[in-house]
Amino acid sequence: MLKANDIIQMMEKWAPTELAETWDNIGFQVGDESMRVNKILIALDIDHRVVKKAIDEDYHMIITHHPFIFNGVKHITNLDYDGKILMDLIKNDIIIYNAHTNLDQTISGVNEELGKLFQLKDSEIIVENEENDKYGYGKVGNINKIKLEDYIYEIKRILDVERVTVYGDIEKEIERVALIGGSGASFIEDVALTGADLFITGDIKYHDAQKAEKLGLTLVDAGHFHTEKVVLPVIKEQLKELEEDLTLSIYEKPSPIYKIY
């Protein structure tokens, strides 16, 4: 049976820690790295529902994309949400590990998987990593020319999402598409430089849309969760290569804040 450290080493070989932004808090966050692990739950985030499933079904480890501990922890008590979760994790010997901005940039990570799903032709990284240009944020590439109004149905099908928000001309014809999982608004100017007609990402705000319009870029906000959940099956496949007997499950339910009415 594998130890937690074996799994951590595999994750960090795939998504090197040096790719993470300095403000990020990635990696091994809770538990004993020498503990034996044969049951892993994979999720985008940790919340009380994910932890309950892990406890009820006797998972040894939870691997997420987003860090649970992000800022400094000043106390661990039952008086607040995070404290209760940390206490439950520790009491039940559940190991917590995350790969965040390093998983965004790595080969076969969040953005490369988006590019594959959207079948971009001649795809390129949008913003290359300063230290190593084979890594970086986003993917941009070509598709067969199509009216945006028709392409929206394809976006919803690929991401399995009920609704998206469009900022721009619905009648516009597009043939060059940029993709960044999660919150991609800070990359709008970089995307415009690629010659993309359309930028698909999440968490677009009013002023982001205004900036994009000035740059001649149409935006589709498909949601933070839905543009990043695509990496969860990839994590599962990477872990399968370590040991066939590992029990691996994906927690695919979005947070309640993503309910669509």
Side-chain angles (χ1 to χ4, degrees):
M1 190 186 295
L2 295 169
K3 291 183 179 180
N5 193 48
D6 297 322
I7 294 157
I8 291 168
Q9 287 181 19
M10 184 284 294
M11 289 293 298
E12 294 182 352
K13 184 178 180 182
W14 171 34
T17 57
E18 58 266 26
L19 293 178
E21 300 291 346
T22 54
W23 49 261
D24 205 356
N25 189 30
I26 63 158
F28 177 42
Q29 294 198 331
V30 176
D32 178 353
E33 67 174 3
S34 67
M35 197 175 95
R36 296 194 177 277
V37 172
N38 69 355
K39 197 170 184 182
I40 303 173
L41 184 60
I42 303 161
L44 205 66
D45 306 277
I46 286 182
D47 60 20
H48 70 280
R49 301 169 308 148
V50 172
V51 173
K52 184 178 186 305
K53 180 177 177 68
I55 294 169
D56 290 349
E57 300 180 23
D58 196 27
Y59 284 89
H60 306 131
M61 186 173 189
I62 302 173
I63 295 178
T64 64
H65 180 42
H66 297 136
F68 179 65
I69 300 172
F70 196 81
N71 299 310
V73 177
K74 295 185 177 179
H75 54 262
I76 301 174
T77 73
N78 67 341
L79 300 178
D80 63 64
Y81 185 90
D82 288 354
K84 288 177 184 175
I85 285 180
L86 283 168
M87 288 176 68
D88 284 340
L89 292 168
I90 293 165
K91 283 177 186 176
N92 290 277
D93 286 329
I94 297 173
I95 296 154
I96 300 301
Y97 180 89
N98 82 85
H100 190 210
T101 49
N102 51 330
L103 190 58
D104 288 329
Q105 296 191 67
T106 199
I107 296 166
S108 298
V110 175
N111 293 299
E112 188 166 315
E113 183 61 16
L114 277 174
K116 288 178 184 176
L117 290 172
F118 278 84
Q119 298 183 332
L120 299 184
K121 295 179 234 175
D122 304 317
S123 67
E124 304 169 355
I125 294 170
I126 294 170
V127 178
E128 293 176 350
N129 183 276
E130 292 181 3
E131 303 298 324
N132 190 329
D133 62 10
K134 72 177 183 178
Y135 302 115
Y137 288 105
K139 281 287 181 177
V140 60
N142 302 320
I143 61 169
N144 294 329
K145 187 179 284 190
I146 186 173
K147 188 184 291 187
L148 178 56
E149 184 176 15
D150 298 323
Y151 194 57
I152 286 168
Y153 295 102
E154 186 69 1
I155 295 169
K156 293 196 288 187
R157 181 192 65 78
I158 291 168
L159 296 177
D160 189 24
V161 60
E162 292 181 40
R163 297 178 188 172
V164 297
T165 303
V166 179
Y167 298 92
D169 181 7
I170 199 80
E171 298 293 322
K172 180 179 180 179
E173 286 197 329
I174 56 168
E175 56 183 337
R176 189 159 175 81
V177 176
L179 304 159
I180 292 181
S183 298
S186 63
F187 295 98
I188 284 173
E189 291 179 356
D190 299 295
V191 170
L193 291 173
T194 70
D197 306 306
L198 177 69
F199 180 25
I200 303 168
T201 188
D203 295 345
I204 296 297
K205 297 179 181 177
Y206 179 79
H207 293 295
D208 301 327
Q210 286 186 317
K211 180 192 289 186
E213 184 180 24
K214 290 174 185 177
L215 294 169
L217 186 62
T218 298
L219 304 178
V220 168
D221 186 335
H224 195 125
F225 176 85
H226 292 292
T227 55
E228 288 190 328
K229 68 183 182 185
V230 298
V231 82
L232 302 182
V234 183
I235 296 173
K236 184 176 180 180
E237 289 304 310
Q238 292 284 340
L239 291 168
K240 269 186 186 177
E241 293 184 13
L242 269 178
E243 187 176 297
E244 288 185 5
D245 291 337
L246 272 176
T247 299
L248 304 166
S249 299
I250 296 174
Y251 190 91
E252 294 181 307
K253 295 178 183 177
S255 165
I257 63 172
Y258 287 95
K259 285 183 180 176
I260 296 174
Y261 296 95

